Amino acid sequence: MPLGAEVHNIELQPGCGGQLARAAGSVAQLVAKEGNFVTLRLPSGESRLVSKNCWATIGQVGNIEANQMTLGKAGRKRWLGKRPAVRGVVMNPVDHPHGGGEGRAPIGRSHPVTPWGRPALGQRTRKSKKYSNSFILRRRK
């Protein structure tokens, strides 16, 4: 495949099926080839090494205008399987770390967290010793 080629539906490990650049209209670009790896620029802006033996589909994913569609009402979103988003602050303490309190209470913690207690809103949660960190050349912005 030539440098600069646009691909989508890219495998991360050979034979495991496509995992990258699969959303409507997305595309990744082949930037470099070196040894057993190729460098891809992903739709997020991340540059990543992927094995040469991994499969990918040439071209861009179709349905580029998918994000331009106006749904118009909550019901159409429900038809797509999307349920309403409920804030943690209005839940009970048994359901969310932000829940509970009398009246409109603040979060009550130093930083916001997910329902499972992981840091939310800007905190980095990726493990520093993850095995695939060496394959990421440039983080997404």
Side-chain angles (χ1 to χ4, degrees):
M1 208 175 291
L3 293 180
E6 294 189 335
V7 293
H8 68 273
N9 196 25
I10 306 147
E11 289 184 325
L12 274 176
Q13 268 113 19
C16 287
Q19 292 179 294
L20 302 175
R22 291 176 18 157
S26 66
V27 64
Q29 192 174 29
L30 199 144
V31 180
K33 299 183 204 177
E34 48 204 54
N36 290 329
F37 290 95
V38 296
T39 305
L40 294 174
R41 188 178 303 117
L42 301 176
S44 64
E46 178 177 292
S47 291
R48 193 179 207 290
L49 292 175
V50 177
S51 171
K52 271 188 178 174
N53 300 325
C54 289
W55 284 46
T57 308
I58 296 175
Q60 187 173 19
V61 184
N63 199 16
I64 298 168
E65 298 87 26
N67 64 340
Q68 307 295 335
M69 187 171 61
T70 305
L71 295 176
K73 61 179 187 175
R76 278 187 73 184
K77 201 71 163 169
R78 295 302 301 268
W79 300 339
L80 298 173
K82 192 83 171 169
R83 301 207 55 226
V86 181
R87 295 170 300 133
V89 153
V90 298
M91 296 182 187
N92 291 320
V94 70
D95 301 316
H96 199 285
H98 297 173
E102 296 291 322
R104 289 196 175 171
I107 288 173
R109 299 172 73 125
S110 56
H111 296 290
V113 293
T114 67
W116 304 278
R118 304 292 300 273
L121 297 181
Q123 310 304 84
R124 301 231 181 101
T125 56
R126 187 177 169 93
K127 292 179 180 171
S128 58
K129 294 180 180 173
K130 188 160 177 152
Y131 74 96
S132 61
N133 279 352
S134 58
F135 297 126
I136 297 172
L137 303 179
R138 198 186 63 174
R139 245 180 23 86
R140 66 185 172 89
K141 295 281 172 96

